Amino acid sequence: MSDWMETSAGRDSLVPDAFRNAEYHAGERSGNGGSVSPGLPAQEKYRALSKALGHVTYEHCLAQNLTCWSEQCAAVFGWSPEEMGAEDKAWQAKIHRQDRAEVLEEYGRALQEKRPFDLEYRLRHRKGHYLWVRDRGVPVAGPGGETWGIVGFLKDITSLRQRDQDLRLAKRALESSINSIVLADLDGRLTYVNNAFMTLFGYRRRNTVIGTPVAEFWSNSRRALAAFRILRNTGKWSGQVAARKKDGSRLDVQLSAHVVKDRSGHPLGYMASFIDITDRREAERERQQSEKKYRLFFSSGSDAVVVFDAGDYSMVDVNPAAVVLYGYSYEEFQQLRVVHLAEDPEEALLRLQKVATRGQASFSLLRHRRKDGSCFDAEVSIGKFRWGNRLLMVGFVRDVTERQRIERIKDDLLSAVSHEMRTPLTAILGYTEYMLKYPLDPLQQSRYLNIIQQQSERLKELIENHLNLQRLRAGSGVCHLQPVEVRPLLHSVAGSFSRLSERHQLVVECPPEMKPVQGDESQLHRALQNLLSNAVKYSPEGGRITLGGCSDGESITLFVRDEGIGIPLDVQERIFDRYFRHCPGEGLSVGGTGLGLALVKEIVNAHRGQLRVESAPGQGSTFFISLPPYI
């Protein structure tokens, strides 16, 4: 063994003659016309080349069954040439046990067949880990033609093997990825597509896709070119793309692309990854539509809607009606708890606890407070729902102040109607009973009958006003529209008021050439009668009452003017409401049910006319009915 494993300075003298005369020394022989190689001996050239390449070279002699290793052992494997071992057992022990049998078998076949060999196996490093090596060798013949041994080299290919393994794993990952992945060259033509791409776009063979410009898969080619410009300039691009499948159908994808560069930073091509978001886009569109409908419903409701947390009652959302009703801004609402909207927050907290424990979800009449401190009657309904992991409550709040006012007015009306009906009925029944019990002279009997007739007409008027108002509101009060002469109509209405008090003077003003109006004569007669009746009631001191008509060419106006107490401006907008009665003041009581002017308004609306009033306290009132002329 010492003959083989010496220092490099004396190694040449120890190389056997058979090795010195091997075929790679052929340049030193001049047989068959060969020329002699100048310069260094072949052995030195071999050693220099081995050192330059960084490979571990070895020379194995079959006769002595010994191996000589080059100096590169220490740099590559951590073993010195001596530690690598001259005997076969030392080298074989360093081969991974899973690779050892295959390596020795290949060595044997190569020697037997006298051919080169090329092996890859694992060899143990001095530190204990294994390196992948590539072992390439060739049998060398001796002077007599017999096989002298083997000359070869070992190359550390661990990094190459790892790189190959990484590439295989990367390819497997690309192929198994659920995302579609493509590679393209710098001209934008596909060089690779994975299985997910083939499936998504409806292709079966890759060769039908490779080489195709990427832009052909975009529905909008201009946008594709713009995206490529950004990709080249910035190195990356991402966004949502409307793609086109093989059958031409649309496909929505989320795409992310970047430039692939080499180690020097030079661009090699492009890589893109994308996923199908068609269902997601459709779901997003449906969500947006649902949210739009929700917002439309939420914002267009006339009732105030407040959404709040079921745990701490903090405000989550409100609709515009709530902003208007309570007077808080949207931002101010976010700082409130829902109980702060009640006039009594502690009582409101108890009610909310009842909702949570007993399920009570509606409250007919509550008192709520606005931002300015004013209170109103509210009707509240409360529901619960879950939003994600959060339990929320929603409250629907309706301001019933006006409804409560109307209910009170109705109660007052019933009382007034009862009173108004009771008065004439009492008179009728009283005088009738008296006349049945006691004999009366003709003069007294006539006077009593006149009273009964007057009270009966009063009762009849009250009932007819009610019935007419209901018919008009139902749309059936005006039956026959026909030309109505204005002047005869005014005189007919004035004739029904011939028994006015001595303090009132009734005057009719109407030009003789007045055009007729289109309307229902009986209903117009009733409207003017009610206006005249009001004029008499609200002119307790008497005076002139004018019933007239005029024309401006486009419409015909009927009017009733009195010199009575007048109507304040703040009351004028309400006098046409049902059941509203204007009380002039202390010391003056005006009878009625508040239906007269409401009936007039309904009659005018049914004729598609306009009703208005001009009045001032102490200066009388004038009511105008403007109607279209008969054409």
Side-chain angles (χ1 to χ4, degrees):
M1 180 174 178
S2 60
D3 293 339
W4 280 78
M5 307 304 296
E6 298 292 340
T7 62
S8 60
R11 181 173 298 177
D12 287 348
S13 61
L14 298 177
V15 176
D17 292 338
F19 186 74
R20 293 178 185 275
N21 297 326
E23 289 184 355
Y24 62 81
H25 286 218
E28 298 178 1
R29 300 194 297 268
S30 59
N32 299 325
S35 60
V36 177
S37 175
L40 293 173
Q43 179 70 4
E44 293 298 331
K45 292 180 181 179
Y46 172 70
R47 186 177 294 119
L49 180 61
S50 174
K51 187 175 182 180
L53 294 175
H55 301 336
V56 176
T57 60
Y58 63 89
E59 304 156 3
H60 180 69
C61 177
L62 290 175
Q64 300 182 25
N65 197 24
L66 297 175
T67 304
C68 179
W69 299 93
S70 68
E71 299 174 353
Q72 282 71 35
C73 284
V76 176
F77 302 115
W79 304 101
S80 66
E82 292 79 7
E83 291 171 330
M84 281 294 289
E87 296 182 355
D88 288 346
K89 292 182 179 181
W91 163 67
Q92 293 173 10
K94 295 178 176 62
I95 300 176
H96 197 286
R97 59 187 181 87
Q98 294 180 357
D99 305 335
R100 192 176 300 155
E102 182 180 353
V103 171
L104 296 179
E105 288 178 6
E106 178 62 15
Y107 264 87
R109 286 194 296 267
L111 287 172
Q112 184 178 1
E113 298 170 7
K114 298 181 180 181
R115 61 169 174 79
F117 60 85
D118 191 342
L119 292 170
E120 291 185 6
Y121 56 89
R122 287 164 288 183
L123 197 65
R124 183 160 48 88
H125 193 274
R126 183 184 184 90
K127 293 183 178 180
H129 61 278
Y130 284 87
L131 301 178
W132 277 97
V133 296
R134 185 174 187 181
D135 188 348
R136 302 184 68 177
V138 58
V140 179
E146 74 283 2
T147 301
W148 172 84
I150 297 175
V151 175
F153 68 88
L154 299 178
K155 178 182 180 181
D156 181 8
I157 61 169
T158 305
S159 59
L160 295 177
R161 291 279 299 205
Q162 185 63 45
R163 189 177 305 168
D164 290 343
Q165 183 178 358
D166 292 344
L167 288 174
R168 286 193 297 270
L169 289 175
K171 185 175 181 180
R172 184 175 299 176
L174 290 177
E175 290 299 329
S176 61
S177 174
I178 61 174
N179 293 352
S180 296
I181 298 175
V182 300
L183 297 176
D185 59 22
L186 294 176
D187 293 328
R189 295 182 178 273
L190 291 177
T191 58
Y192 167 82
V193 296
N194 69 345
N195 290 330
F197 175 90
M198 301 289 290
T199 302
L200 182 60
F201 281 82
Y203 290 93
R204 292 186 177 182
R205 297 181 179 179
R206 281 186 170 86
N207 57 5
T208 60
V209 178
I210 301 301
T212 304
V214 176
E216 291 189 7
F217 296 93
W218 292 50
S219 296
N220 189 333
S221 57
R222 290 185 178 179
R223 191 179 180 210
L225 294 176
F228 265 101
R229 283 195 295 269
I230 297 174
L231 182 58
R232 283 193 297 266
N233 293 335
T234 65
K236 59 183 179 180
W237 186 90
S238 62
Q240 295 182 357
V241 175
R244 185 170 53 244
K245 300 174 69 172
K246 181 183 179 182
D247 59 8
S249 61
R250 178 188 170 115
L251 180 69
D252 293 322
V253 298
Q254 178 70 39
L255 187 145
S256 177
H258 65 273
V259 176
V260 179
K261 299 180 180 180
D262 61 16
R263 294 183 177 180
S264 301
H266 298 105
L268 297 175
Y270 307 105
M271 180 177 180
S273 171
F274 47 91
I275 58 175
D276 180 8
I277 60 170
T278 304
D279 293 341
R280 191 175 77 188
R281 286 288 297 275
E282 184 62 28
E284 178 67 17
R285 283 191 287 267
E286 291 179 0
R287 186 192 65 78
Q288 290 176 353
Q289 287 294 328
S290 298
E291 184 175 349
K292 184 177 180 181
K293 291 178 182 177
Y294 158 75
R295 280 296 166 189
L296 183 62
F297 166 76
F298 192 68
S299 61
S300 62
S302 58
D303 291 343
V305 181
V306 294
V307 181
F308 55 96
D309 191 280
D312 59 6
Y313 307 125
S314 60
M315 302 295 289
V316 175
D317 199 3
V318 297
N319 70 340
V323 174
V324 174
L325 178 61
Y326 289 96
Y328 294 103
S329 67
Y330 183 84
E331 291 73 17
E332 289 172 331
F333 265 112
Q334 305 305 308
Q335 308 301 319
L336 297 176
R337 298 173 68 204
V338 70
V339 294
H340 295 152
L341 301 179
E343 184 180 30
D344 187 344
E346 293 184 0
E347 183 182 356
L349 183 60
L350 293 176
R351 286 194 295 267
L352 288 174
Q353 291 172 350
K354 288 181 180 179
V355 173
T357 57
R358 303 179 187 177
Q360 183 179 0
S362 61
F363 303 93
S364 58
L365 191 62
L366 302 174
R367 292 288 290 175
H368 276 211
R369 188 187 303 276
R370 298 184 179 90
K371 179 183 177 180
D372 61 8
S374 62
C375 295
F376 62 93
D377 295 327
E379 184 180 79
V380 180
S381 298
I382 298 177
K384 293 186 288 185
F385 66 97
R386 187 168 295 277
W387 185 267
N389 296 324
R390 191 177 185 186
L391 183 61
L392 301 179
M393 285 185 170
V394 57
F396 298 88
V397 183
R398 177 173 296 176
D399 183 1
V400 295
T401 304
E402 182 64 18
R403 191 175 74 186
Q404 291 294 109
R405 187 185 69 82
I406 293 175
E407 291 294 333
R408 288 192 293 270
I409 291 175
K410 286 182 178 180
D411 292 341
D412 294 342
L413 168 69
L414 291 175
S415 177
V417 168
S418 299
H419 175 74
E420 290 292 330
M421 287 185 174
R422 188 181 295 112
T423 300
L425 280 174
T426 299
I428 293 171
L429 291 173
Y431 282 103
T432 302
E433 183 179 357
Y434 187 86
M435 292 176 65
L436 290 173
K437 286 185 177 181
Y438 304 101
L440 301 174
D441 58 68
L443 182 61
Q444 191 177 14
Q445 183 179 16
S446 176
R447 185 165 59 86
Y448 285 178
L449 288 174
N450 282 332
I451 294 174
I452 292 173
Q453 182 183 14
Q454 291 175 1
Q455 296 301 321
S456 298
E457 288 178 354
R458 181 181 176 185
L459 182 61
K460 176 185 176 183
E461 179 185 2
L462 179 64
I463 295 173
E464 285 183 347
N465 278 343
H466 272 284
L467 294 178
N468 269 282
L469 185 60
Q470 295 303 320
R471 283 196 294 266
L472 286 166
R473 292 183 66 83
S476 59
V478 176
C479 300
H480 304 288
L481 294 178
Q482 56 188 0
V484 178
E485 296 292 340
V486 174
R487 190 177 179 87
L489 173 66
L490 296 178
H491 283 282
S492 175
V493 173
S496 65
F497 280 80
S498 58
R499 296 187 298 273
L500 289 175
S501 67
E502 296 179 355
R503 290 176 297 178
H504 294 89
Q505 178 186 6
L506 180 59
V507 178
V508 176
E509 293 182 358
C510 182
E513 68 278 2
M514 180 73 68
K515 292 182 180 180
V517 297
Q518 184 172 345
D520 185 324
E521 185 172 359
S522 64
Q523 293 289 4
L524 293 177
H525 190 284
R526 185 175 302 280
L528 292 173
Q529 272 188 324
N530 283 343
L531 293 178
L532 273 177
S533 176
N534 265 19
V536 172
K537 290 178 184 177
Y538 288 94
S539 302
E541 301 298 328
R544 181 186 177 99
I545 297 176
T546 304
L547 176 63
C550 60
S551 175
D552 60 2
E554 296 182 357
S555 63
I556 294 175
T557 300
L558 311 178
F559 63 88
V560 176
R561 181 182 297 117
D562 65 65
E563 298 175 347
I565 60 177
I567 306 170
L569 183 62
D570 60 335
V571 178
Q572 292 179 18
E573 295 182 356
R574 301 176 59 190
I575 59 175
F576 298 107
D577 294 343
R578 285 190 302 169
Y579 317 126
F580 179 80
R581 294 175 62 194
H582 172 47
C583 298
E586 297 181 1
L588 179 61
S589 176
V590 179
T593 60
L595 293 178
L597 291 180
L599 180 61
V600 173
K601 180 180 179 181
E602 293 295 337
I603 293 173
V604 173
N605 289 341
H607 284 78
R608 297 183 180 180
Q610 293 182 349
L611 175 64
R612 61 187 178 89
V613 62
E614 292 180 0
S615 181
Q619 300 182 21
S621 304
T622 303
F623 289 84
F624 299 90
I625 299 176
S626 296
L627 300 170
Y630 178 77
I631 300 176

